[in-house]
Amino acid sequence: MIDKDKIIRYYKATEEDILAARLIEIAESVEKNKKYKASFFLSPSEFQIAEVICNASEDLSVVAYGGFENAERNKAVFVHRDFKYQIVMDFVALEINWDKRYYSIAHKDLLGAILAICKREFVGDIVLVETGAQVVVEEKMAEFLLQNLTKVGAAEVSIKKIAVEDLQVKEQKTKVITATVANLRLDAVAAAGYSTSRTQMNEGIKLQQVKLNHKPAKGAAQEVKVGDTISYRGRGRVEVVEIKGITKKGRISIVLHRIL
């Protein structure tokens, strides 16, 4: 039995209590019907809430489904331990195309056009591909998007359904960075990862452009550790892979992976 009140109280401090309550409702329905049920699309930090809820129940497990390999936004599928059958997902894959000779459309442009039509929770990952873009959406919103997404900015676009199996694997480029830092503060490590100054990184943190483990950074002085993920709006993410030790000059040697 999930201690609903305890979990909601815990997330009230971060103003995520409403989301937690919605996810608990889904989990409780699975405890009763002993089958499975999927949430709406969640960011990585939101998915962590689903994992906390799952850990509070002896009968449930939670699986991430986002359509793409290495998807960032996933549905949390709560599954009862007695359910032994196949899980059928209720999302649809769409492909968006435009004349690339005349228009250059970025991820943020596509996201803005889609969110003008439907809520963020109905939309999974958007991936730019050679022919245009692919996106995963809730089944109930697919037809609405097919009928209403006709332009992105000044560019006319065409949109069609494709098989989920035809979604292309998200390409990830990784740059290995070996650096030394004065300390393990977020501003110092992030500055090394993004090849920028600590002053500029501090400004990004103040403007809430920087996240630590998928949540807005609380401050420049937050200490990072191995396994942490830092993201800087529009500049990819940095993973802390190794803290090697102290150099002869008293600095800390670290290894980072920057995902582009």
Side-chain angles (χ1 to χ4, degrees):
M1 180 72 71
I2 297 170
D3 190 336
K4 180 177 180 177
D5 293 337
K6 181 179 179 181
I7 294 173
I8 291 176
R9 281 198 306 272
Y10 176 79
Y11 284 107
K12 200 171 187 66
T14 56
E15 298 183 349
E16 294 172 315
D17 51 314
I18 294 176
L19 172 61
R22 293 178 69 190
L23 292 173
I24 289 170
E25 185 178 352
I26 295 170
E28 287 179 332
S29 71
V30 175
E31 284 186 324
K32 291 177 182 177
N33 64 34
K34 298 186 178 181
K35 295 180 181 179
Y36 72 90
K37 189 173 182 179
S39 72
F40 33 90
F41 284 102
L42 302 169
S43 68
S45 62
E46 291 170 338
F47 191 87
Q48 289 173 354
I49 298 175
E51 291 178 317
V52 169
I53 293 168
C54 179
N55 290 337
S57 171
E58 296 180 355
D59 296 322
L60 303 182
S61 61
V62 65
V63 184
Y65 278 90
F68 291 98
E69 187 175 338
N70 301 320
E72 182 171 321
R73 292 180 62 79
N74 290 281
K75 288 190 167 203
V77 186
F78 293 97
V79 185
H80 196 275
R81 64 179 179 179
D82 293 336
F83 184 79
K84 307 299 181 184
Y85 304 98
Q86 183 177 0
I87 295 172
V88 180
M89 294 307 300
D90 60 345
F91 53 63
V92 172
L94 303 176
E95 185 170 279
I96 305 167
N97 297 289
W98 60 91
D99 194 331
K100 290 196 168 185
R101 295 174 299 175
Y102 305 111
Y103 299 102
S104 177
I105 297 178
H107 181 281
K108 65 178 181 179
D109 302 321
L110 284 163
L111 180 60
I114 292 171
L115 295 191
I117 298 172
C118 66
K119 293 180 179 179
R120 188 68 175 106
E121 66 183 44
F122 297 145
V123 185
D125 280 8
I126 301 171
V127 176
L128 297 175
V129 296
E130 187 176 348
T131 55
Q134 295 179 339
V135 58
V136 178
V137 299
E138 287 272 11
E139 186 174 33
K140 61 186 176 184
M141 292 303 304
E143 201 61 41
F144 195 64
L145 281 167
L146 287 166
Q147 293 174 8
N148 292 279
L149 186 61
T150 58
K151 296 187 78 174
V152 175
E156 292 186 359
V157 300
S158 61
I159 181 170
K160 63 181 180 181
K161 284 185 183 181
I162 60 172
V164 172
E165 295 75 21
D166 290 336
L167 288 168
Q168 297 182 28
V169 175
K170 294 177 66 176
E171 183 181 358
Q172 289 188 325
K173 297 179 182 179
T174 303
K175 179 181 179 181
V176 179
I177 299 170
T178 301
T180 62
V181 292
N183 51 56
L184 295 176
R185 284 170 48 120
L186 174 60
D187 58 347
V189 176
Y194 291 101
S195 301
T196 188
S197 68
R198 289 181 69 169
T199 300
Q200 183 176 340
M201 189 54 60
N202 266 287
E203 188 64 23
I205 292 170
K206 288 178 183 177
L207 294 173
Q208 296 191 317
Q209 296 173 343
V210 179
K211 292 183 177 182
L212 179 61
N213 296 326
H214 313 294
K215 295 184 178 181
K218 295 178 181 178
Q222 277 186 272
E223 188 166 299
V224 301
K225 61 186 183 301
V226 172
D228 282 351
T229 298
I230 303 165
S231 57
Y232 189 8
R233 187 181 300 166
R235 299 184 63 176
R237 69 179 188 272
V238 167
E239 297 175 352
V240 183
V241 176
E242 184 180 359
I243 298 172
K244 300 177 74 173
I246 308 297
T247 69
K248 291 180 180 179
K249 294 184 178 180
R251 293 174 65 82
I252 303 172
S253 178
I254 59 174
V255 179
L256 309 172
H257 284 179
R258 183 173 174 186
I259 313 299
L260 306 173

